[in-house]
């Protein structure tokens, strides 16, 4: 077959293959056009999941009669004129391919009226590159695009269309995403003549749209985000880890009003949630990043759902620190807390298979109290159980400050059963002291209230102004210990531990070159490396806390990260894993009997500790039953 030029219709159908994957793709393109036209109300009507009919009506600026044929021509658009416009894009669409691509694989009718004009005008196509005459029509100001029999002339594509229910679900998901990004616009969705989604416009009140899409419960304990730095603005809401989901279906991230999927943003969000989210769960969030359009390339993917940032490292770090700080501000019992209240966090039980929860309850009798409070109500130190549960002796390589911090949490070498329930923590006159008549007032009661006692030597039962609080003492103490160890480690994280015998590591030539070029970066992470051959490195020192781990594998992973993104969090992640294990082994265990003052000190420490709504593994540390829930359990008031 010789070289020949393709027909216009085949060119459009090839383009449609890149842009139009399913009915939801058509809905996305048409609704984005309506938003670019300045619509304040958009109605989408579907039949048979969009395969038989997709009709999108808006009240935007409309299309003039003489421009209707151009609107259905390839590479014709009103949104850009030059490369400068493309590099500073403010509209959702810009390629001029959506309408001609759709019209090449469906029967399309375009009807539009410009505000102030007496008549509306209509143009139709039947899947070919030949359109009829522009005809007068009746239509209010705005535009309606009607798409019938999608893929009727491309049988191979139609075979890939799924069931009506599946295709409708994708269409609704697309509309919900666009509605979340544009709360000022009203959206209506009809399927088979039934209204399935009705979202009134809420100019100036984005929370109303979020409430309509994700529910009142999401906003009740969501954490607001509002950060600005170096021309970047991040705003929105972070969902409580307690309301995590089994799938990532309620995550909305927008860049300059455009819904996108980007690995830089995904990595930043995942890192921010990494030690408060249960394994395999996904957070809920609605976030928007605003930046100079010239700093982001939206012309990186046919569907415009992926972007490229000119300064991806800066964007990643900004988003991570903003989200990490927001999650850190949440403390157990406080408003907006990530632990949730009411019926408790919706996090699955880890079960015995998790292997990281509280240890088994011993058959032996009561154990001594384990809390030593601090005078003046300052957060106290919490010790572990018997010596067998602890993390052993402090590592000299960690530095004096870190060793001292770890020693504060190490379980005592021995314990005596004498004095159970008799020893009050310093700062308390007697068991139960600290709760005076004045502190019994709701306004002055601490967020987690005051301890009443222990349940099964595992849970602390407390009463606060709202009702009853139940705390998993091991999970709560584990988080308190972990956060304190992390703060101490932050001060000494670059401490390098020289190896008695340097270790040679086999790498690729590119990795060896990278190690030479990034020697200062590696040194900052605690690695001392020099090159000893074309494909060989000599490892002389490793981060002190990670001594004994598989250093060559960690070094290769770090070099891979440096190649991909110019930075690496491998050592930090590995260090946090070690600290998490130390905190787990050094925390109070199930089966330990605590005095009431010790329980109260644990509650006060929780209220002062970041992320104390979850343990290091993402399990909830506390739940609350408010008075209404308690009444409901006993059918009171019915």
């Amino acid at each position: 077959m010789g070289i020949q030029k393709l027909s216009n219709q085949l060119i459009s159908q090839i383009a449609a293959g890149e842009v139009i994957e399913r009915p939801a793709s058509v809905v996305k393109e048409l609704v984005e056009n309506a938003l670019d036209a300045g619509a304040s109300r958009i109605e989408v009507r579907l039949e048979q999941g969009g395969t038989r009919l997709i009709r999108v009506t808006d009240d935007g600026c409309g299309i003039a009669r003489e421009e209707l044929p151009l609107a259905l021509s390839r590479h014709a658009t009103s949104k850009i004129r030059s490369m400068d416009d493309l590099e500073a894009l403010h509209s959702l669409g810009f390629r001029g391919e959506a309408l001609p691509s759709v019209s090449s694989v469906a029967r399309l009718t375009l009807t539009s009226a410009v505000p102030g004009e007496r008549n509306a005008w209509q143009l139709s196509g039947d899947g070919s590159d030949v359109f009829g005459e522009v005809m007068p029509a009746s239509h209010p100001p705005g535009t309606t695009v009607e798409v019938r029999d999608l893929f009727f002339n491309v049988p191979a594509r139609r075979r890939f269309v799924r069931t009506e229910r599946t295709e409708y679900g994708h269409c609704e998901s697309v509309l919900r995403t666009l509605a979340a990004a544009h709360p000022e616009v009203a959206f209506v969705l009809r399927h088979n003549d039934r209204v399935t989604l009705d979202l009134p416009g809420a100019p100036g009140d984005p929370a109303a749209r979020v409430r309509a899409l994700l529910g009142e419960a999401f906003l009740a304990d969501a954490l607001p985000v509002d950060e600005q730095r170096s021309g970047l603005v991040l705003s929105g809401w972070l969902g409580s880890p307690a309301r995590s989901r089994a799938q990532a279906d309620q995550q909305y991230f927008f860049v300059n009003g455009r819904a996108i999927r980007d690995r830089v943003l995904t990595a930043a969000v995942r890192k921010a949630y990494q030690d408060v989210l249960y394994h395999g769960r996904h957070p809920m969030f609605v976030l928007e990043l605003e930046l100079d359009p010239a700093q982001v390339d939206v012309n990186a993917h046919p569907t415009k759902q992926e972007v490229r940032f000119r300064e991806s490292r800066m964007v990643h770090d900004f988003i991570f620190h903003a989200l990490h700080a927001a999650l850190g501000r949440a403390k157990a019992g406080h408003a907006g807390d990530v632990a949730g209240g009411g019926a408790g966090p919706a996090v699955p039980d880890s079960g015995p298979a998790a292997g990281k929860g509280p240890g088994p309850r011993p058959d032996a009798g009561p154990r001594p109290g384990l809390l030593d409070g601090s005078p003046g109500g300052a957060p106290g130190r919490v010790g572990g159980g018997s010596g067998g549960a602890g993390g052993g002796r402090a590592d000299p390589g960690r530095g004096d400050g870190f060793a001292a911090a770890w020693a504060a949490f190490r379980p005592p070498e021995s314990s005596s059963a004498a004095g159970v329930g008799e020893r009050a923590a310093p700062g308390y006159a007697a068991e139960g002291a600290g709760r005076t008549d004045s502190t019994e007032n709701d306004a002055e009661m601490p967020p987690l209230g005051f301890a009443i006692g222990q349940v099964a030597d595992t849970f602390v039962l407390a009463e606060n102004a709202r009702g009853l609080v139940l705390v998993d003492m091991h999970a709560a103490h584990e988080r308190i210990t972990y956060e304190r160890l992390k703060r101490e480690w932050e001060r000494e994280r670059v401490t390098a531990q020289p190896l008695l015998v340097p270790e040679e590591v086999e790498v690729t030539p590119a990795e060896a070159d990278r190690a030479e070029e990034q020697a200062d970066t590696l040194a900052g992470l605690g690695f001392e490396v020099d090159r000893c051959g074309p494909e060989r490195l000599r490892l002389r020192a490793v981060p002190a806390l990670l001594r004994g781990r598989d250093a060559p594998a960690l070094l290769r992973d770090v070099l891979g990260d440096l190649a991909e993104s110019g930075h690496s969090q491998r050592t930090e992640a590995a260090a946090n894993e070690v600290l998490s294990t130390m905190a787990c082994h050094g925390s109070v265990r199930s089966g330990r009997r605590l005095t009431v003052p010790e329980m109260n000190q644990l509650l006060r420490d929780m209220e002062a500790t970041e992320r104390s709504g979850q343990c290091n593994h993402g399990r909830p540390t506390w739940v609350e039953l408010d008075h209404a829930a308690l009444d409901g359990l006993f059918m009171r008031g019915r």
Side-chain angles (χ1 to χ4, degrees):
M1 181 183 296
I3 298 175
Q4 59 182 350
K5 190 172 182 179
L6 299 177
S7 67
N8 289 334
Q9 182 182 8
L10 185 55
I11 291 172
S12 295
Q13 289 177 335
I14 292 172
E18 296 180 340
V19 179
I20 310 302
E21 178 184 359
R22 61 195 331 152
S25 307
V26 178
V27 172
K28 174 182 179 295
E29 297 294 339
L30 299 185
V31 173
E32 285 183 346
N33 279 347
L35 291 168
D36 285 341
S40 61
R41 185 179 188 278
I42 300 174
E43 179 174 333
V44 180
R45 186 182 295 269
L46 305 174
E47 291 182 9
Q48 296 181 8
T51 57
R52 180 178 178 183
L53 171 69
I54 300 171
R55 182 185 296 134
V56 177
T57 301
D58 68 66
D59 59 355
C61 63
I63 304 173
R65 174 186 179 181
E66 61 274 12
E67 293 180 347
L68 284 178
L70 276 176
L72 298 181
S73 302
R74 297 187 69 238
H75 307 309
T77 180
S78 62
K79 299 166 187 178
I80 59 173
R81 292 288 184 271
S82 66
M83 190 65 185
D84 292 338
D85 295 334
L86 184 61
E87 291 181 347
L89 200 62
H90 290 86
S91 60
L92 296 174
F94 55 89
R95 294 198 184 105
E97 289 186 338
L99 288 177
S101 294
V102 173
S103 68
S104 71
V105 293
R107 296 183 173 93
L108 182 145
T109 300
L110 175 61
T111 308
S112 190
V114 176
E117 294 291 330
R118 295 182 58 184
N119 293 326
W121 300 94
Q122 187 176 91
L123 183 62
S124 299
D126 61 355
S128 67
D129 58 348
V130 178
F131 299 96
E133 295 291 326
V134 177
M135 304 293 291
S138 176
H139 193 281
T143 302
T144 293
V145 182
E146 183 177 283
V147 178
R148 290 187 176 274
D149 303 326
L150 184 63
F151 300 135
F152 80 97
N153 57 351
V154 192
R157 294 295 302 278
R158 192 171 183 86
R159 284 196 292 270
F160 286 93
V161 175
R162 303 304 179 188
T163 65
E164 176 179 335
R165 181 178 179 179
T166 298
E167 296 302 340
Y168 166 76
H170 285 287
C171 292
E172 182 184 11
S173 177
V174 163
L175 198 64
R176 283 178 170 271
T177 300
L178 291 168
H182 300 276
E184 73 283 358
V185 179
F187 290 84
V188 177
L189 174 61
R190 299 176 185 271
H191 184 226
N192 295 337
D193 294 326
R194 183 172 66 89
V195 175
T196 56
L197 188 66
D198 190 353
L199 301 172
D205 187 13
R209 178 57 53 83
V210 173
R211 186 179 298 109
L213 291 172
L214 298 182
E216 184 67 47
F218 170 80
L219 277 182
D221 54 15
L223 299 165
V225 178
D226 188 8
E227 295 287 338
Q228 301 184 35
R229 191 180 72 200
S230 304
L232 303 175
V233 179
L234 184 67
S235 58
W237 291 268
L238 280 181
S240 160
R243 298 195 184 278
S244 62
R245 298 175 62 80
Q247 59 279 335
D249 61 339
Q250 294 192 3
Q251 298 181 348
Y252 300 97
F253 209 124
F254 308 102
V255 175
N256 291 344
R258 184 188 305 277
I260 60 97
R261 295 192 301 265
D262 180 81
R263 64 182 182 181
V264 171
L265 305 182
T266 301
V269 173
R270 186 170 56 246
K271 183 184 176 188
Y273 273 96
Q274 67 183 355
D275 62 359
V276 295
L277 207 61
Y278 191 77
H279 177 70
R281 305 289 291 182
H282 301 273
M284 301 167 63
F285 56 80
V286 179
L287 297 169
E288 175 158 15
L289 176 66
E290 298 177 72
L291 72 166
D292 182 354
Q295 296 300 313
V296 57
D297 180 11
V298 300
N299 192 26
H301 192 272
T303 62
K304 299 165 288 187
Q305 290 184 327
E306 298 178 9
V307 297
R308 292 195 188 98
F309 296 102
R310 297 188 188 277
E311 299 290 341
S312 60
R313 170 73 181 274
M314 181 179 71
V315 171
H316 174 279
D317 290 349
F318 167 71
I319 293 173
F320 164 69
H321 288 298
L323 303 188
H324 190 259
L327 288 168
R329 287 192 292 269
K331 299 171 184 176
H334 293 278
D337 155 50
V338 291
V347 178
D349 187 5
S350 60
K356 295 184 177 180
R361 294 182 56 198
D363 295 330
R367 303 291 181 92
L370 299 174
L371 277 154
D372 289 323
S374 299
R381 295 197 308 271
V382 188
S386 65
R393 191 169 300 174
D395 188 338
R398 297 178 187 136
D400 294 338
F402 184 82
W406 172 233
F409 303 112
R410 286 178 54 213
E413 295 297 331
S414 63
S415 59
S416 170
V420 175
E422 297 176 358
R423 176 172 55 83
Y428 292 92
E431 195 167 305
R435 178 170 183 166
T436 63
D437 292 340
S438 62
T439 58
E440 289 180 354
N441 298 326
D442 289 354
E444 300 181 26
M445 182 176 284
L448 292 179
F450 293 101
I452 298 173
Q454 271 181 284
V455 178
D457 288 349
T458 301
F459 305 100
V460 173
L461 182 64
E463 180 185 4
N464 67 2
R466 296 181 297 273
L468 286 181
V469 172
L470 197 62
V471 173
D472 182 332
M473 64 186 192
H474 172 80
H477 187 205
E478 187 179 13
R479 169 60 68 178
I480 294 167
T481 307
Y482 179 51
E483 292 297 328
R484 290 179 181 172
L485 290 176
K486 280 200 303 183
R487 287 196 297 270
E488 195 61 40
W489 168 244
E490 285 290 331
R491 303 188 186 103
E492 305 176 13
R493 59 187 301 167
V494 296
T495 304
Q497 178 70 45
L499 299 178
L500 292 177
V501 179
E503 189 169 355
E504 292 192 357
V505 183
E506 292 185 1
V507 294
T508 66
E511 288 174 329
D513 292 340
R514 195 172 306 118
E516 285 188 309
E517 297 167 0
Q518 304 270 9
D520 292 341
T521 301
L522 292 173
L525 296 174
F527 292 97
E528 185 179 329
V529 179
D530 56 43
R531 192 167 187 171
C532 58
E535 300 179 1
R536 195 173 291 272
L537 298 174
R538 183 177 290 111
L539 185 59
R540 298 185 177 277
V542 298
L545 188 62
L546 306 181
R547 188 180 61 186
R549 297 173 73 90
D550 190 348
L554 181 59
L555 176 62
R556 293 189 192 96
D557 289 342
V558 169
L559 291 172
D561 291 341
L562 293 176
E564 183 176 355
S565 58
H567 64 288
S568 176
Q569 284 93 34
R570 296 278 178 172
T571 56
E572 180 180 357
N576 283 343
E577 183 179 343
V578 172
L579 297 178
S580 178
T581 300
M582 293 167 64
C584 184
H585 286 288
S587 298
V588 60
R589 290 282 184 172
S590 173
R592 305 301 196 269
R593 187 74 59 81
L594 304 182
T595 67
V596 171
E598 291 167 344
M599 298 179 211
N600 280 324
Q601 189 62 61
L602 178 63
L603 298 177
R604 302 294 81 79
D605 284 353
M606 288 178 65
E607 293 162 353
T609 299
E610 295 182 348
R611 305 172 188 85
S612 54
Q614 281 74 34
C615 76
N616 316 343
H617 317 300
R619 295 187 296 111
T621 60
W622 70 290
V623 294
E624 179 182 278
L625 281 173
D626 61 22
H627 295 134
L630 291 171
D631 288 343
L633 290 175
F634 297 95
M635 302 177 66
R636 292 178 59 86
R638 296 188 183 181

